[in-house]
Amino acid sequence: MFEHVLILSSYLFCIGFYGLITSRNMVRALMCLELIFNAININFVTFSNFLDSQEIKGEVFSIFIIAIAAAEAAIGLSIILVLYRNGRSNQINEFNLLKW
Amino acid sequence: MNFTDSIRNSILVIIEAGIILGSLGVVSLSNIIYSAFLLGFVFICIAFLYLTLNADFLSAAQILIYVGAVNVLIVFAVMLINNPKEIKTKEPWNISNNISFFLCTSLFVSLSFTILKTNWSNLYSIQHSLNILDQMPSNIRLIGKNLLTQFLIPFELLSLLLLLALIGAITIARRDEFIEADDSETLDSKEESV
């Protein structure tokens, strides 16, 4: 059970990482970032359930991660909205505003 | 006891199959609105996984925050942003995708090899012998006690961070009236400068 869930969370992390570096659409990259956050949360909850079931500090920490992920999603989506409004595109490789 | 174990295992297998197939669909589907809804499905499956891991408060928080807020926000962004002509375009498969696929597969293989090789049962038995004596109190009460005693300063900082993020998001995404007045002009000048 324990290793099972750990392998599941590492699978989720790897597939989120793959999607983050290969996707061209910015919204899809943000979705893959959320997948990575969820993999980390599963890891925290698993370890706190199996090793620290008395005072579950891992679950408290994953609540912090969930809140930060919500803030990150709001900021990221608003940045994407502004970029789309200025450039009429949502492809990652067409944005080089900060390049030169 | 055995019966409930078998039921628990079958539920776990269903949840994990949902997570695995759903996350594959999020990454690989070409239509992005399908992957946005599949992302919500994956979040719900993860909430059920938390339920099987005895984390009931966290599962409720997952459904409330991720499915209710983040996923709705993503679906709104997809509907606001997506070009109808770009919706069917297949992303080209090139050499960098091959390289990153190889990298991620090797990362996954090495991670699972490490997980399987590590002797977790030692750690588990030591901790479990310490913990099994006491009656486990309520989950929510423990989280509340930890949040308001030991993690009080991060908790308050987190509320401040959420407020700042909301204000920042509104400030960034607000359409400025001066920019809106000569939006076409700035676009034209930008194209000329490029």
Side-chain angles (χ1 to χ4, degrees):
Chain A
M1 172 76 187
F2 184 58
E3 293 137 0
H4 212 72
V5 182
L6 284 187
I7 287 178
L8 180 73
S9 89
S10 71
Y11 165 79
L12 208 57
F13 178 80
C14 289
I15 205 161
F17 191 63
Y18 172 74
L20 185 64
I21 46 184
T22 60
S23 72
R24 296 287 173 80
N25 199 324
M26 288 194 291
V27 185
R28 192 192 297 272
L30 215 64
M31 290 198 266
C32 295
L33 207 60
E34 298 295 328
L35 280 185
I36 291 178
F37 274 121
N38 272 288
I40 304 301
N41 269 341
I42 289 175
N43 243 348
F44 268 118
V45 173
T46 315
F47 273 108
S48 93
N49 184 30
F50 277 83
L51 301 180
D52 187 24
S53 61
Q54 203 56 37
E55 30 183 306
I56 32 178
K57 297 212 171 71
E59 294 191 17
V60 179
F61 207 79
S62 63
I63 286 175
F64 289 139
I65 295 179
I66 286 177
I68 289 178
E72 167 264 331
I75 290 285
L77 284 174
S78 67
I79 288 176
I80 289 174
L81 206 62
V82 168
L83 283 180
Y84 177 72
R85 195 181 292 150
N86 287 336
R88 290 290 151 202
S89 167
N90 56 354
Q91 306 294 303
I92 284 181
N93 50 357
E94 291 180 13
F95 284 107
N96 45 13
L97 291 175
L98 297 178
K99 210 169 176 179
W100 288 287
Chain B
M1 192 62 194
N2 227 347
F3 185 64
T4 57
D5 266 1
S6 72
I7 284 183
R8 188 162 176 265
N9 280 336
S10 56
I11 287 175
L12 205 65
V13 164
I14 292 173
I15 289 170
E16 287 176 355
I19 291 177
I20 289 173
L21 295 178
S23 54
L24 259 183
V26 168
V27 174
S28 64
L29 279 184
S30 65
N31 195 344
I32 194 170
I33 191 75
Y34 290 159
S35 49
F37 283 121
L38 266 181
L39 187 73
F41 174 68
V42 171
F43 287 159
I44 292 174
C45 284
I46 289 172
F48 285 129
L49 184 69
Y50 288 161
L51 268 189
T52 64
L53 289 172
N54 297 325
D56 41 5
F57 178 77
L58 204 65
S59 136
Q62 167 95 7
I63 287 186
L64 276 179
I65 297 175
Y66 270 114
V67 183
V70 173
N71 197 33
V72 169
L73 209 62
I74 286 176
V75 169
F76 265 108
V78 168
M79 288 174 179
L80 280 177
I81 284 175
N82 240 356
N83 264 341
K85 65 171 187 284
E86 281 177 2
I87 209 166
K88 286 297 176 192
T89 53
K90 195 81 174 164
E91 291 176 359
W93 182 268
N94 48 14
I95 186 70
S96 65
N97 285 26
N98 279 329
I99 294 173
S100 45
F101 180 74
F102 173 72
L103 272 179
C104 290
T105 319
S106 56
L107 178 65
F108 174 63
V109 167
S110 60
L111 274 179
S112 48
F113 182 70
T114 314
I115 287 168
L116 289 179
K117 219 185 78 176
T118 310
N119 196 3
W120 298 107
S121 60
N122 264 340
L123 201 61
Y124 175 66
S125 59
I126 292 172
Q127 290 289 121
H128 201 66
S129 62
L130 290 179
N131 288 340
I132 205 167
L133 297 173
D134 310 37
Q135 183 72 25
M136 195 158 65
S138 166
N139 216 346
I140 303 170
R141 192 173 300 165
L142 270 180
I143 288 180
K145 203 192 80 185
N146 271 334
L147 270 184
L148 288 181
T149 55
Q150 194 172 359
F151 295 96
L152 181 61
I153 293 177
F155 185 62
E156 299 294 336
L157 280 181
L158 202 64
S159 58
L160 198 66
L161 175 88
L162 273 177
L163 180 69
L164 282 182
L166 288 183
I167 293 174
I170 293 169
T171 313
I172 291 173
R174 190 182 54 148
R175 186 190 289 266
D176 226 353
E177 289 161 12
F178 297 110
I179 296 178
E180 188 191 13
D182 48 9
D183 198 10
S184 54
E185 291 181 18
T186 52
L187 272 182
D188 290 342
S189 62
K190 205 174 286 179
E191 284 170 3
E192 287 172 8
S193 67
V194 168

